[in-house]
Amino acid sequence: SEKLMWLTRFWQHPLKSRCADKYAVRKYVADAGLAHLLVPLIGVYATPDEIPFDDLPGKFALKCNHGCGFNLICTDKLRLDVRKVRRDFASWLKVDYSLLSREAHYHAIPPRIVCEELVQDTPPVECQFWCVNGKPESILVCRKNSDRTYDAWSYSLDWRRLTDRLGETEEGGVPRPACLDEMRAAAEKLSAPFPFVRADFYVVGDRTYFAELTFTPAANMLVRYKQSFLDRLGKMLVLPPKYQ
């Protein structure tokens, strides 16, 4: 966690902000030869008033590009409160996310609203690859529940159960995804320029979709993880020269 804090303070390479931008990162992924992993894009809007709700499909996902948690999953457009949606996104666009937990790389991102196709009505399983010095090290697998909680399990790269989180046991879990090798290769390619990043992917059936690149998981306060996990990744992470 201390090394992640150091990176937040002293390694502000422009590529970091570009890849934290949930819209701009799409070009980074495409330039890496992984455009086939992108969720199909419907539109990008500077203000909520620009969103053409009448023209959108019956199901879609909306999100702000400049932070975390500014999302709307629409599974039935006919039941959508459009006025509320516009109000919510107008409020979210005004937030400088970098000020909330001092995640400085968000400051340089111009706020926009991204609309993508909805790849699954229910939250898909998400495989999050912890990448250190451009190499995947292990995987956190998350599955969100309808009550806004989530289940999470730690895995090695070859899908052996780990117990990296506090209170985690070897019970439970999910089957090994058919697309595991594809996700691992993509995580390695996308993480190559970075001292640390978590490369996140959705699993929908046998398909992989790119989710996001995360540079400051939990704002670098990894309080749900065992000290053995923090020590393991921390010893691996070689800090680069300062870039400010």
Side-chain angles (χ1 to χ4, degrees):
S1 291
E2 291 181 28
K3 286 187 173 181
L4 295 185
M5 289 292 190
W6 187 96
L7 290 172
T8 298
R9 174 64 181 85
F10 294 115
W11 200 79
Q12 287 302 317
H13 194 288
L15 188 59
K16 192 173 181 180
S17 291
R18 177 186 165 197
C19 288
D21 182 327
K22 293 176 173 59
Y23 174 61
V25 71
R26 294 176 61 90
K27 186 175 187 305
Y28 175 76
V29 173
D31 289 346
L34 299 171
H36 59 286
L37 301 184
L38 293 170
V39 175
L41 181 69
I42 296 174
V44 183
Y45 318 104
T47 71
D49 291 337
E50 295 179 12
I51 303 173
F53 284 101
D54 290 343
D55 298 331
L56 295 183
K59 302 177 181 182
F60 55 86
L62 285 174
K63 60 186 178 183
C64 289
N65 68 317
H66 68 299
C68 180
F70 303 147
N71 308 316
L72 169 75
I73 304 300
C74 176
T75 57
D76 183 356
K77 189 175 68 171
L78 296 179
R79 300 175 61 185
L80 194 66
D81 185 341
V82 172
R83 293 179 63 185
K84 183 180 184 304
V85 172
R86 293 194 195 276
R87 287 197 305 269
D88 287 344
F89 276 91
S91 176
W92 293 338
L93 286 176
K94 296 175 182 177
V95 175
D96 183 345
Y97 200 81
S98 69
L99 300 179
L100 301 184
S101 299
R102 296 300 186 263
E103 297 169 276
H105 55 289
Y106 285 113
H107 183 69
I109 300 174
R112 286 176 283 196
I113 303 167
V114 180
C115 185
E116 295 176 335
E117 290 186 9
L118 189 64
V119 295
Q120 185 169 293
D121 285 6
T122 56
V125 169
E126 191 167 341
C127 291
Q128 304 174 343
F129 287 74
W130 299 87
C131 301
V132 181
N133 306 325
K135 298 291 183 181
E137 195 277 339
S138 57
I139 312 167
L140 179 68
V141 179
C142 296
R143 184 177 61 198
K144 295 180 181 177
N145 302 314
S146 58
D147 60 359
R148 296 181 178 271
T149 62
Y150 68 91
D151 301 313
W153 306 274
S154 305
Y155 285 89
S156 67
L157 297 177
D158 59 358
W159 212 252
R160 289 180 295 104
R161 280 300 308 276
L162 304 175
T163 54
D164 286 336
R165 290 166 60 84
L166 294 173
E168 185 177 2
T169 69
E170 294 186 4
E171 299 177 357
V174 297
R176 175 182 174 130
C179 51
L180 179 62
D181 292 341
E182 180 181 38
M183 286 189 290
R184 179 178 177 176
E188 183 164 354
K189 182 174 288 189
L190 295 174
S191 67
F194 303 111
F196 168 82
V197 70
R198 201 188 67 207
D200 302 347
F201 302 87
Y202 300 125
V203 177
V204 180
D206 292 339
R207 278 206 65 173
T208 298
Y209 289 100
F210 170 78
E212 63 182 341
L213 295 179
T214 302
F215 296 95
T216 49
N220 300 329
M221 302 296 291
L222 300 174
V223 296
R224 296 184 179 182
Y225 291 84
K226 296 178 180 177
Q227 191 63 42
S228 57
F229 169 81
L230 302 177
D231 290 343
R232 190 177 82 227
L233 268 66
K235 289 177 181 178
M236 292 176 58
L237 177 52
V238 177
L239 295 176
K242 293 183 180 181
Y243 194 108
Q244 292 177 282

